[in-house]
mmCIF file of all heavy atoms in Angstrom:
data_model
loop_
_atom_site.group_PDB
_atom_site.id
_atom_site.type_symbol
_atom_site.label_atom_id
_atom_site.label_comp_id
_atom_site.label_asym_id
_atom_site.label_seq_id
_atom_site.Cartn_x
_atom_site.Cartn_y
_atom_site.Cartn_z
ATOM 1 N N GLY C 80 75.379 47.057 152.665
ATOM 2 C CA GLY C 80 75.248 47.890 153.844
ATOM 3 C C GLY C 80 74.658 47.120 155.008
ATOM 4 O O GLY C 80 74.244 45.957 154.877
ATOM 5 N N GLU C 81 74.594 47.791 156.161
ATOM 6 C CA GLU C 81 74.151 47.122 157.387
ATOM 7 C C GLU C 81 72.687 46.729 157.359
ATOM 8 O O GLU C 81 72.255 45.885 158.135
ATOM 9 C CB GLU C 81 74.415 48.031 158.587
ATOM 10 C CG GLU C 81 75.885 48.163 158.897
ATOM 11 C CD GLU C 81 76.142 49.136 160.012
ATOM 12 O OE1 GLU C 81 76.189 50.340 159.734
ATOM 13 O OE2 GLU C 81 76.303 48.692 161.163
ATOM 14 N N THR C 82 71.907 47.343 156.498
ATOM 15 C CA THR C 82 70.477 47.032 156.478
ATOM 16 C C THR C 82 70.101 46.067 155.358
ATOM 17 O O THR C 82 68.944 45.695 155.245
ATOM 18 C CB THR C 82 69.656 48.320 156.321
ATOM 19 O OG1 THR C 82 70.036 48.982 155.103
ATOM 20 C CG2 THR C 82 69.903 49.252 157.499
ATOM 21 N N LYS C 83 71.094 45.665 154.534
ATOM 22 C CA LYS C 83 70.821 44.654 153.518
ATOM 23 C C LYS C 83 71.394 43.345 154.035
ATOM 24 O O LYS C 83 72.610 43.212 154.196
ATOM 25 C CB LYS C 83 71.451 45.029 152.174
ATOM 26 C CG LYS C 83 71.056 44.060 151.051
ATOM 27 C CD LYS C 83 71.552 44.535 149.700
ATOM 28 C CE LYS C 83 71.096 43.585 148.601
ATOM 29 N NZ LYS C 83 71.571 44.011 147.263
ATOM 30 N N LEU C 84 70.539 42.385 154.309
ATOM 31 C CA LEU C 84 70.953 41.193 155.030
ATOM 32 C C LEU C 84 70.548 39.923 154.315
ATOM 33 O O LEU C 84 69.515 39.859 153.650
ATOM 34 C CB LEU C 84 70.322 41.188 156.429
ATOM 35 C CG LEU C 84 70.575 42.420 157.300
ATOM 36 C CD1 LEU C 84 69.633 42.394 158.488
ATOM 37 C CD2 LEU C 84 72.016 42.459 157.765
ATOM 38 N N GLU C 85 71.402 38.909 154.474
ATOM 39 C CA GLU C 85 71.035 37.537 154.117
ATOM 40 C C GLU C 85 71.174 36.776 155.420
ATOM 41 O O GLU C 85 72.276 36.517 155.888
ATOM 42 C CB GLU C 85 71.984 36.998 153.041
ATOM 43 C CG GLU C 85 71.532 35.686 152.411
ATOM 44 C CD GLU C 85 71.903 34.476 153.267
ATOM 45 O OE1 GLU C 85 73.034 34.421 153.759
ATOM 46 O OE2 GLU C 85 71.034 33.595 153.443
ATOM 47 N N PRO C 86 70.037 36.497 156.089
ATOM 48 C CA PRO C 86 70.084 36.071 157.492
ATOM 49 C C PRO C 86 70.711 34.702 157.735
ATOM 50 O O PRO C 86 70.036 33.675 157.729
ATOM 51 C CB PRO C 86 68.609 36.087 157.915
ATOM 52 C CG PRO C 86 67.853 35.926 156.648
ATOM 53 C CD PRO C 86 68.665 36.588 155.586
ATOM 54 N N SER C 87 72.022 34.727 157.945
ATOM 55 C CA SER C 87 72.733 33.518 158.345
ATOM 56 C C SER C 87 74.089 33.938 158.893
ATOM 57 O O SER C 87 74.528 35.067 158.689
ATOM 58 C CB SER C 87 72.931 32.558 157.160
ATOM 59 O OG SER C 87 73.970 33.022 156.321
ATOM 60 N N VAL C 88 74.752 33.024 159.591
ATOM 61 C CA VAL C 88 76.120 33.291 160.058
ATOM 62 C C VAL C 88 77.116 32.465 159.249
ATOM 63 O O VAL C 88 78.270 32.305 159.656
ATOM 64 C CB VAL C 88 76.260 32.990 161.566
ATOM 65 C CG1 VAL C 88 75.435 33.952 162.393
ATOM 66 C CG2 VAL C 88 75.908 31.536 161.868
ATOM 67 N N THR C 89 76.693 31.977 158.096
ATOM 68 C CA THR C 89 77.547 31.110 157.278
ATOM 69 C C THR C 89 78.836 31.807 156.869
ATOM 70 O O THR C 89 79.943 31.259 157.002
ATOM 71 C CB THR C 89 76.785 30.646 156.023
ATOM 72 O OG1 THR C 89 75.594 29.970 156.418
ATOM 73 C CG2 THR C 89 77.649 29.718 155.185
ATOM 74 N N ARG C 90 78.724 33.029 156.354
ATOM 75 C CA ARG C 90 79.902 33.731 155.842
ATOM 76 C C ARG C 90 80.854 34.139 156.971
ATOM 77 O O ARG C 90 82.063 33.978 156.864
ATOM 78 C CB ARG C 90 79.472 34.966 155.031
ATOM 79 C CG ARG C 90 78.772 34.611 153.731
ATOM 80 C CD ARG C 90 78.238 35.843 153.035
ATOM 81 N NE ARG C 90 77.324 36.593 153.905
ATOM 82 C CZ ARG C 90 76.062 36.236 154.129
ATOM 83 N NH1 ARG C 90 75.572 35.155 153.544
ATOM 84 N NH2 ARG C 90 75.297 36.951 154.926
ATOM 85 N N ILE C 91 80.299 34.694 158.055
ATOM 86 C CA ILE C 91 81.167 35.119 159.153
ATOM 87 C C ILE C 91 81.818 33.903 159.807
ATOM 88 O O ILE C 91 82.986 33.961 160.226
ATOM 89 C CB ILE C 91 80.387 35.979 160.177
ATOM 90 C CG1 ILE C 91 81.333 36.573 161.236
ATOM 91 C CG2 ILE C 91 79.287 35.188 160.842
ATOM 92 C CD1 ILE C 91 82.320 37.569 160.719
ATOM 93 N N ALA C 92 81.102 32.782 159.878
ATOM 94 C CA ALA C 92 81.692 31.563 160.442
ATOM 95 C C ALA C 92 82.852 31.078 159.573
ATOM 96 O O ALA C 92 83.890 30.622 160.086
ATOM 97 C CB ALA C 92 80.628 30.471 160.581
ATOM 98 N N ALA C 93 82.683 31.188 158.258
ATOM 99 C CA ALA C 93 83.758 30.796 157.349
ATOM 100 C C ALA C 93 84.971 31.706 157.522
ATOM 101 O O ALA C 93 86.124 31.237 157.493
ATOM 102 C CB ALA C 93 83.257 30.851 155.901
ATOM 103 N N LEU C 94 84.727 32.994 157.724
ATOM 104 C CA LEU C 94 85.830 33.928 157.949
ATOM 105 C C LEU C 94 86.552 33.612 159.255
ATOM 106 O O LEU C 94 87.788 33.613 159.316
ATOM 107 C CB LEU C 94 85.318 35.367 157.960
ATOM 108 C CG LEU C 94 86.377 36.453 158.192
ATOM 109 C CD1 LEU C 94 87.432 36.417 157.092
ATOM 110 C CD2 LEU C 94 85.721 37.832 158.272
ATOM 111 N N MET C 95 85.792 33.342 160.306
ATOM 112 C CA MET C 95 86.413 32.993 161.580
ATOM 113 C C MET C 95 87.260 31.729 161.437
ATOM 114 O O MET C 95 88.337 31.612 162.035
ATOM 115 C CB MET C 95 85.338 32.775 162.656
ATOM 116 C CG MET C 95 84.571 34.029 163.063
ATOM 117 S SD MET C 95 85.589 35.297 163.846
ATOM 118 C CE MET C 95 85.855 36.413 162.442
ATOM 119 N N ASP C 96 86.789 30.785 160.643
ATOM 120 C CA ASP C 96 87.509 29.529 160.453
ATOM 121 C C ASP C 96 88.877 29.776 159.818
ATOM 122 O O ASP C 96 89.898 29.279 160.312
ATOM 123 C CB ASP C 96 86.675 28.584 159.587
ATOM 124 C CG ASP C 96 87.350 27.237 159.378
ATOM 125 O OD1 ASP C 96 87.746 26.624 160.379
ATOM 126 O OD2 ASP C 96 87.487 26.816 158.223
ATOM 127 N N VAL C 97 88.926 30.561 158.751
ATOM 128 C CA VAL C 97 90.211 30.789 158.079
ATOM 129 C C VAL C 97 91.123 31.709 158.888
ATOM 130 O O VAL C 97 92.345 31.703 158.703
ATOM 131 C CB VAL C 97 90.011 31.348 156.647
ATOM 132 C CG1 VAL C 97 89.274 30.345 155.787
ATOM 133 C CG2 VAL C 97 89.308 32.691 156.648
ATOM 134 N N LEU C 98 90.535 32.488 159.795
ATOM 135 C CA LEU C 98 91.341 33.344 160.671
ATOM 136 C C LEU C 98 91.841 32.616 161.916
ATOM 137 O O LEU C 98 92.590 33.181 162.709
ATOM 138 C CB LEU C 98 90.536 34.576 161.107
ATOM 139 C CG LEU C 98 90.251 35.640 160.044
ATOM 140 C CD1 LEU C 98 89.324 36.713 160.604
ATOM 141 C CD2 LEU C 98 91.541 36.271 159.535
ATOM 142 N N GLY C 99 91.400 31.372 162.112
ATOM 143 C CA GLY C 99 91.845 30.614 163.277
ATOM 144 C C GLY C 99 90.989 30.818 164.508
ATOM 145 O O GLY C 99 91.472 30.669 165.638
ATOM 146 N N GLU C 100 89.710 31.143 164.305
ATOM 147 C CA GLU C 100 88.744 31.318 165.401
ATOM 148 C C GLU C 100 89.216 32.323 166.462
ATOM 149 O O GLU C 100 89.312 32.012 167.658
ATOM 150 C CB GLU C 100 88.448 29.962 166.077
ATOM 151 C CG GLU C 100 87.955 28.888 165.134
ATOM 152 C CD GLU C 100 86.547 29.159 164.592
ATOM 153 O OE1 GLU C 100 85.866 30.044 165.133
ATOM 154 O OE2 GLU C 100 86.139 28.476 163.638
ATOM 155 N N PRO C 101 89.516 33.564 166.065
ATOM 156 C CA PRO C 101 89.991 34.562 167.038
ATOM 157 C C PRO C 101 88.978 34.878 168.119
ATOM 158 O O PRO C 101 89.348 35.249 169.243
ATOM 159 C CB PRO C 101 90.277 35.789 166.170
ATOM 160 C CG PRO C 101 89.395 35.631 164.966
ATOM 161 C CD PRO C 101 89.390 34.148 164.718
ATOM 162 N N GLN C 102 87.686 34.736 167.829
ATOM 163 C CA GLN C 102 86.647 35.081 168.798
ATOM 164 C C GLN C 102 86.607 34.130 169.980
ATOM 165 O O GLN C 102 85.922 34.407 170.975
ATOM 166 C CB GLN C 102 85.276 35.121 168.100
ATOM 167 C CG GLN C 102 84.580 33.782 167.894
ATOM 168 C CD GLN C 102 85.148 32.964 166.733
ATOM 169 O OE1 GLN C 102 86.199 33.268 166.188
ATOM 170 N NE2 GLN C 102 84.426 31.918 166.331
ATOM 171 N N ARG C 103 87.352 33.036 169.920
ATOM 172 C CA ARG C 103 87.392 32.078 171.027
ATOM 173 C C ARG C 103 88.638 32.276 171.908
ATOM 174 O O ARG C 103 88.895 31.485 172.815
ATOM 175 C CB ARG C 103 87.366 30.644 170.488
ATOM 176 C CG ARG C 103 86.156 30.398 169.581
ATOM 177 C CD ARG C 103 85.843 28.934 169.412
ATOM 178 N NE ARG C 103 84.807 28.744 168.404
ATOM 179 C CZ ARG C 103 83.511 28.967 168.596
ATOM 180 N NH1 ARG C 103 83.098 29.385 169.774
ATOM 181 N NH2 ARG C 103 82.629 28.770 167.621
ATOM 182 N N ALA C 104 89.380 33.354 171.654
ATOM 183 C CA ALA C 104 90.618 33.592 172.400
ATOM 184 C C ALA C 104 90.390 34.348 173.709
ATOM 185 O O ALA C 104 91.322 34.560 174.471
ATOM 186 C CB ALA C 104 91.605 34.369 171.529
ATOM 187 N N TYR C 105 89.146 34.735 173.979
ATOM 188 C CA TYR C 105 88.843 35.546 175.167
ATOM 189 C C TYR C 105 87.383 35.336 175.538
ATOM 190 O O TYR C 105 86.551 35.006 174.688
ATOM 191 C CB TYR C 105 89.083 37.036 174.869
ATOM 192 C CG TYR C 105 88.637 37.428 173.474
ATOM 193 C CD1 TYR C 105 87.295 37.667 173.175
ATOM 194 C CD2 TYR C 105 89.560 37.512 172.436
ATOM 195 C CE1 TYR C 105 86.888 37.980 171.900
ATOM 196 C CE2 TYR C 105 89.150 37.826 171.142
ATOM 197 C CZ TYR C 105 87.820 38.057 170.881
ATOM 198 O OH TYR C 105 87.411 38.353 169.599
ATOM 199 N N PRO C 106 87.048 35.503 176.819
ATOM 200 C CA PRO C 106 85.633 35.449 177.211
ATOM 201 C C PRO C 106 84.917 36.706 176.740
ATOM 202 O O PRO C 106 85.566 37.720 176.415
ATOM 203 C CB PRO C 106 85.692 35.384 178.746
ATOM 204 C CG PRO C 106 86.976 36.044 179.088
ATOM 205 C CD PRO C 106 87.936 35.712 177.974
ATOM 206 N N SER C 107 83.603 36.660 176.731
ATOM 207 C CA SER C 107 82.861 37.807 176.210
ATOM 208 C C SER C 107 81.519 37.974 176.908
ATOM 209 O O SER C 107 80.994 37.037 177.515
ATOM 210 C CB SER C 107 82.641 37.661 174.697
ATOM 211 O OG SER C 107 81.950 36.452 174.406
ATOM 212 N N ILE C 108 81.005 39.184 176.809
ATOM 213 C CA ILE C 108 79.648 39.526 177.236
ATOM 214 C C ILE C 108 78.921 40.013 176.003
ATOM 215 O O ILE C 108 79.380 40.934 175.326
ATOM 216 C CB ILE C 108 79.667 40.613 178.330
ATOM 217 C CG1 ILE C 108 80.371 40.092 179.595
ATOM 218 C CG2 ILE C 108 78.244 41.067 178.662
ATOM 219 C CD1 ILE C 108 80.544 41.146 180.675
ATOM 220 N N HIS C 109 77.796 39.389 175.668
ATOM 221 C CA HIS C 109 77.073 39.655 174.421
ATOM 222 C C HIS C 109 75.781 40.410 174.747
ATOM 223 O O HIS C 109 75.046 40.012 175.655
ATOM 224 C CB HIS C 109 76.761 38.336 173.727
ATOM 225 C CG HIS C 109 76.579 38.440 172.254
ATOM 226 N ND1 HIS C 109 76.318 37.351 171.453
ATOM 227 C CD2 HIS C 109 76.630 39.501 171.402
ATOM 228 C CE1 HIS C 109 76.212 37.727 170.193
ATOM 229 N NE2 HIS C 109 76.384 39.032 170.134
ATOM 230 N N ILE C 110 75.505 41.477 174.012
ATOM 231 C CA ILE C 110 74.387 42.367 174.331
ATOM 232 C C ILE C 110 73.443 42.482 173.148
ATOM 233 O O ILE C 110 73.854 42.826 172.039
ATOM 234 C CB ILE C 110 74.893 43.780 174.696
ATOM 235 C CG1 ILE C 110 75.956 43.702 175.782
ATOM 236 C CG2 ILE C 110 73.744 44.678 175.125
ATOM 237 C CD1 ILE C 110 76.691 45.011 176.015
ATOM 238 N N THR C 111 72.164 42.210 173.394
ATOM 239 C CA THR C 111 71.129 42.441 172.397
ATOM 240 C C THR C 111 70.016 43.264 173.041
ATOM 241 O O THR C 111 70.102 43.668 174.195
ATOM 242 C CB THR C 111 70.596 41.114 171.817
ATOM 243 O OG1 THR C 111 69.762 41.398 170.677
ATOM 244 C CG2 THR C 111 69.794 40.329 172.841
ATOM 245 N N GLY C 112 68.937 43.503 172.291
ATOM 246 C CA GLY C 112 67.846 44.348 172.753
ATOM 247 C C GLY C 112 67.501 45.352 171.672
ATOM 248 O O GLY C 112 68.086 45.345 170.591
#
Side-chain angles (χ1 to χ4, degrees):
E81 289 176 277
T82 59
K83 186 173 182 180
L84 305 167
E85 191 278 316
S87 76
V88 294
T89 302
R90 292 174 303 282
I91 187 66
L94 180 61
M95 292 296 100
D96 182 52
V97 297
L98 289 174
E100 304 291 347
Q102 82 283 12
R103 304 199 188 283
Y105 39 80
S107 58
I108 296 175
H109 205 179
I110 308 169
T111 190

